[in-house]
Amino acid sequence: MGFETGMVLTAEGTVYQATQNARQSLEYGTNIVGGVTPGRDGQHLGLPVLPSVRAVSGTTSLSTYCVHSGLENLYGLSIQAKEKLRPDASAVYVAAGNAAPAIEEAIEAEIPLIVAVAEHIPLHDMLRVTILSRYRTVFRADFVKVQSMLRSQSRSRLVGANSPGMISAVGKCRLGFHPLPTFQPGCVAIAAKSGTLSYETVASTTRSGLGQSLVIGIGGDPLPGTDFVDALKVFERDDDTKGIILVGEIGGRAEEDAAGWIKDYHRRNQDPKPIMALVAGIQAPVGRVMGHAGALIGAGENSARSKVKALEDAGVVITNHPSKFGDGMKRLLGGHVDQKRCMHTLRRPVFLSQRDTHTSQQRHIYIQETRSNKMLQDLGVPIAEDEDPRGRDYFLTITYDRSNYSPCIITSYSIGGESAQNHAKSHSLGLDKRVDAAVFSCIAAELKCRRESFDSLTKILSSMMQIFFDKDGFELSARLSRNIQGVLAVARSSFKFDDAALRSGKRQDDIQKMRDMGNEINEEVEAEKDGIVYIKLGGEGSIGTLVNGAGLAMNTVDAIADMGGKCANFLDTGGKATSETVKSSFRIVLKDPRVKTVFVNIFGGLTLCDMIAEGIMLAYKDLGITVPVVVRLRGTNEEIGQKMIAESGLSLHAFDDFDEAAEKVVELAGKAS
């Protein structure tokens, strides 16, 4: 395996984190053969480190130069590194703004397996990368051990981005930042969108004595390089894998696609491997991005409830919390309980209605309609001032197709108040930003536009496409109507843009300035400044939550609802939380007068439990907390963190088991109401 790192200045101004990760992986047993660091030619951790990329075969260098904190650096696992080190895999530890070029270089170098951990890679950068990786790759399922996976391949498979990585507990090979003491060689394969939920799942299967064979972090981005079906194909043929666990969440169709594959798998096999699953985000409010950029129900996508039903219909055993996976899988593998019947022995998710009237979009930039209309007007698009009341409404949305890994146009129309979903059609777009006249004609025909409206429809579509590509659009929607003169014009518009383009890519500053801050919740904006994702939930919820990881935060809200409790918020401290971040999280949560108790639920990977404990004690000291606080610390440095809490002298309720902690939270909230 080869590791890849750019000399990026972190908040501490060092490459300490990447070095520590490589050292831990070496100690675990990973065969790291070397790395690439800009401008260096020597050794690090006793391994060769190669410098910048040379021109290859007389062509220009494949590397990408970029500037970070005033330093000019060079990123990429180079052709030179490939030729000298002969790696089977590359772990890309490069900051989000430069991760896409680094991944592209690894693909160009034909590294068989590439794992990318960075979060907040701009969506349009990943559109380019995922298409490059998917159309140049063959994922050979007969090579199932990480250390030998795809050894004979000449092309690449991308895992991630926004992935905790992947790990072979049997083969002792790690590409990522997993809490290693939690893992144990065994027989259960795990594929998960969420890092923290995958750690919970690993801990559960370790406690049950089953252990893990292979764990793949698919990642929470909307366009992952590897999906559930890819992972299932590997797990099916892996002799060390006896049971399979999938950990999904809202957004996309990956879970439904997996359900379809599983149905076929059951038809093909008389003795299939048992499969369990969890889908986070049952209680997620409609229209909100729940931490992960991909954790959003997009246009034409189904809810978590629909994902659960699809998996159940395929014969998958559903549970509501990852701590139940170990015992549930142990029963299935024991052969004493039929798989389809076993689902009724596990706690089923409770479906409550969570609607949110706010339009703010964490991880997206939402602009006022007057500004989106102005952008269209500047390109010559007419804005409707009067509408023909007898005409039909037309709907256009330009977004991305998660299944086809491409931008797309979604069209529909409505007559007499009927649902526009009845006529919805999707058309994939290429990255060349061009659509030929035949496609426009097809769209016009599907919308049943009059001939005299064709030119105005073409103008509106081409203008929206220009804005989408030039300004890093996420989802641009417009309702069209025909004016008295018979010309199509924009009656309403709603534009959302990818804020990672500014956050990581340092572009689209003009869009950021258009952000509609007046339509956002003050606490959510305040949290964002501290790197915290906070979403205020509707209703009478009285339980404040403070969690690390978007998937775990969603599932915490879900599981508490199953126990009869109601949460006031969703809060993800972020993977790089500090003690000050924890204190800020308490301050924001406690601003909500509905909150009568706080639940701190941590499963640390990158997040350190002792740092969380320090933040809790700091919050008690500086904020004067008066409501009851329940704390559950698991993962990296959990023993140190638990000891700090126990010796703090604070009136905290500390637990190791999730169910016990959640039940206590619900009890305390009930007493306070």
Side-chain angles (χ1 to χ4, degrees):
M1 188 195 97
F3 71 86
E4 177 182 4
T5 179
M7 198 70 118
V8 179
L9 288 179
T10 66
E12 295 76 28
T14 71
V15 291
Y16 174 78
Q17 192 174 74
T19 298
Q20 286 297 99
N21 183 276
R23 181 179 286 115
Q24 291 169 3
S25 295
L26 283 166
E27 293 172 353
Y28 186 66
T30 307
N31 181 22
I32 300 178
V33 296
V36 172
T37 299
R40 289 188 57 186
D41 190 354
Q43 286 203 340
H44 185 55
L45 300 179
L47 299 168
V49 177
L50 298 178
S52 60
V53 183
R54 310 179 293 189
V56 180
S57 301
T59 63
T60 57
S61 167
L62 294 174
S63 293
T64 300
Y65 285 86
C66 45
V67 177
H68 184 86
S69 297
L71 297 179
E72 187 177 69
N73 296 326
L74 182 64
Y75 297 89
L77 187 56
S78 63
I79 301 295
Q80 182 184 15
K82 167 75 183 300
E83 291 175 349
K84 287 191 176 183
L85 303 179
R86 301 291 178 185
D88 299 303
S90 170
V92 183
Y93 300 111
V94 177
N98 305 303
I103 296 168
E104 287 178 343
E105 276 201 324
I107 295 169
E108 293 290 347
E110 295 188 342
I111 307 301
L113 178 63
I114 306 159
V115 176
V117 304
E119 187 176 9
H120 301 303
I121 299 178
L123 173 65
H124 286 248
D125 293 355
M126 285 307 297
L127 277 169
R128 182 177 69 252
V129 168
T130 50
I131 288 174
L132 178 61
S133 67
R134 281 189 163 263
Y135 282 91
R136 297 190 56 193
T137 189
V138 179
F139 196 17
R140 289 282 299 279
D142 50 331
F143 291 97
V144 295
K145 301 297 185 295
V146 174
Q147 63 267 39
S148 64
M149 189 180 292
L150 307 174
R151 188 180 300 277
S152 65
Q153 295 291 309
S154 62
R155 298 182 186 274
S156 305
R157 159 66 59 180
L158 171 65
V159 174
N162 191 13
S163 165
M166 59 187 298
I167 184 169
S168 170
V170 172
K172 293 292 182 179
C173 184
R174 173 221 207 187
L175 298 87
F177 45 80
H178 314 80
L180 291 173
T182 311
F183 288 78
Q184 172 183 296
C187 64
V188 179
I190 300 165
K193 285 184 175 180
S194 162
T196 44
L197 285 179
S198 73
Y199 307 155
E200 285 268 24
T201 303
V202 165
S204 179
T205 53
T206 294
R207 285 195 301 271
S208 70
L210 295 175
Q212 309 82 40
S213 51
L214 182 63
V215 180
I216 300 176
I218 289 171
D221 270 13
L223 298 171
T226 295
D227 59 25
F228 283 131
V229 172
D230 296 324
L232 285 165
K233 290 176 181 177
V234 175
F235 298 160
E236 177 188 9
R237 291 171 172 81
D238 181 12
D239 292 336
D240 290 321
T241 295
K242 308 304 179 186
I244 298 170
I245 292 174
L246 304 180
V247 182
E249 61 187 32
I250 58 169
R253 287 191 45 84
E255 293 80 4
E256 288 101 327
D257 292 342
W261 185 92
I262 292 167
K263 283 184 177 179
D264 180 67
Y265 169 62
H266 285 162
R267 285 193 294 266
R268 291 186 283 106
N269 292 271
Q270 292 184 344
D271 186 24
K273 299 175 182 180
I275 303 175
M276 297 184 68
L278 176 152
V279 179
I282 301 294
Q283 306 300 329
V286 176
R288 301 305 301 272
V289 182
M290 305 302 289
H292 291 152
L296 165 74
I297 302 173
E301 295 176 350
N302 292 321
S303 66
R305 186 183 315 199
S306 297
K307 292 171 183 276
V308 168
K309 185 176 188 307
L311 289 165
E312 284 182 334
D313 290 346
V316 176
V317 178
I318 299 294
T319 187
N320 74 327
H321 192 269
S323 63
K324 299 180 174 66
F325 276 131
D327 290 342
M329 183 59 72
K330 197 169 187 177
R331 291 199 297 272
L332 290 173
L333 290 172
H336 302 298
V337 183
D338 177 76
Q339 182 177 358
K340 291 187 179 181
R341 290 177 56 200
C342 181
M343 73 176 76
H344 301 295
T345 70
L346 301 174
R347 182 173 299 194
R348 300 287 300 283
V350 173
F351 300 114
L352 301 177
S353 175
Q354 275 279 12
R355 292 200 163 269
D356 195 333
T357 58
H358 297 281
T359 56
S360 78
Q361 295 288 329
Q362 291 281 357
R363 308 301 170 94
H364 298 152
I365 300 172
Y366 176 85
I367 66 174
Q368 289 181 338
E369 186 175 21
T370 54
R371 293 186 179 274
S372 55
N373 285 348
K374 180 65 164 56
M375 295 177 77
L376 291 167
Q377 283 181 309
D378 288 346
L379 294 175
V381 172
I383 304 300
E385 296 181 0
D386 53 6
E387 302 179 41
D388 184 351
R390 300 165 298 175
R392 66 178 66 190
D393 288 326
Y394 302 91
F395 300 91
L396 300 176
T397 295
I398 301 181
T399 184
Y400 59 92
D401 185 333
R402 302 196 206 200
S403 297
N404 293 323
Y405 293 83
S406 68
C408 68
I409 300 173
I410 300 174
T411 64
S412 187
Y413 63 88
S414 173
I415 307 174
E418 67 176 338
S419 173
Q421 292 291 332
N422 296 339
H423 307 287
K425 296 286 182 65
S426 180
H427 305 265
S428 293
L429 297 172
L431 290 179
D432 57 4
K433 310 178 186 179
R434 298 177 182 174
V435 176
D436 58 33
V439 174
F440 282 130
S441 297
C442 179
I443 290 174
E446 288 178 353
L447 292 176
K448 303 185 185 303
C449 281
R450 299 175 184 173
R451 184 178 299 275
E452 61 267 25
S453 300
F454 181 78
D455 288 345
S456 53
L457 175 65
T458 301
K459 178 63 177 177
I460 294 169
L461 268 174
S462 59
S463 298
M464 289 177 65
M465 286 175 55
Q466 180 177 337
I467 295 170
F468 181 82
F469 285 112
D470 290 353
K471 296 299 182 181
D472 285 88
F474 175 81
E475 183 179 284
L476 310 185
S477 298
R479 177 174 70 84
L480 316 183
S481 64
R482 189 178 291 107
N483 61 22
I484 302 300
Q485 291 74 35
V487 176
L488 283 180
V490 172
R492 299 297 304 270
S493 63
S494 175
F495 286 6
K496 302 181 183 72
F497 298 89
D498 179 23
D499 82 334
L502 177 70
R503 182 195 300 251
S504 304
K506 308 304 178 186
R507 57 182 187 255
Q508 311 304 356
D509 183 60
D510 57 332
I511 296 296
Q512 177 67 30
K513 291 176 180 177
M514 296 183 192
R515 181 175 172 182
D516 184 10
M517 303 289 284
N519 204 27
E520 300 188 32
I521 298 172
N522 291 335
E523 291 86 350
E524 296 184 5
V525 175
E526 178 185 347
E528 186 180 332
K529 294 176 182 177
D530 290 322
I532 301 163
V533 181
Y534 170 86
I535 296 175
K536 189 173 184 178
L537 302 178
E540 299 302 319
S542 60
I543 299 172
T545 63
L546 194 161
V547 188
N548 71 309
L552 185 60
M554 282 190 283
N555 182 248
T556 299
V557 175
D558 294 344
I560 287 177
D562 292 345
M563 294 182 175
K566 294 182 180 180
C567 291
N569 69 278
F570 162 102
L571 187 146
D572 172 14
T573 62
K576 298 178 182 178
T578 66
S579 55
E580 285 292 336
T581 306
V582 175
K583 186 180 83 170
S584 295
S585 298
F586 268 102
R587 185 184 68 251
I588 292 164
V589 168
L590 293 173
K591 282 187 175 183
D592 187 341
R594 299 174 301 165
V595 171
K596 305 303 180 186
T597 185
V598 177
F599 184 22
V600 180
N601 185 28
I602 301 295
F603 205 109
L606 280 177
T607 301
L608 306 179
C609 289
D610 54 329
M611 180 275 300
I612 295 291
E614 182 181 338
I616 293 171
M617 291 186 288
L618 187 64
Y620 263 85
K621 176 184 176 183
D622 294 349
L623 301 180
I625 296 173
T626 57
V627 301
V629 176
V630 176
V631 180
R632 175 179 179 260
L633 299 179
R634 296 296 311 278
T636 306
N637 293 355
E638 66 177 72
E639 292 182 359
I640 301 174
Q642 290 169 354
K643 182 180 179 182
M644 290 171 65
I645 293 295
E647 296 176 353
S648 68
L650 300 174
S651 57
L652 298 167
H653 303 270
F655 295 88
D656 177 70
D657 179 75
F658 175 82
D659 277 355
E660 292 178 1
E663 287 170 359
K664 185 64 175 180
V665 168
V666 173
E667 175 193 333
L668 291 170
K671 289 180 179 178
S673 60

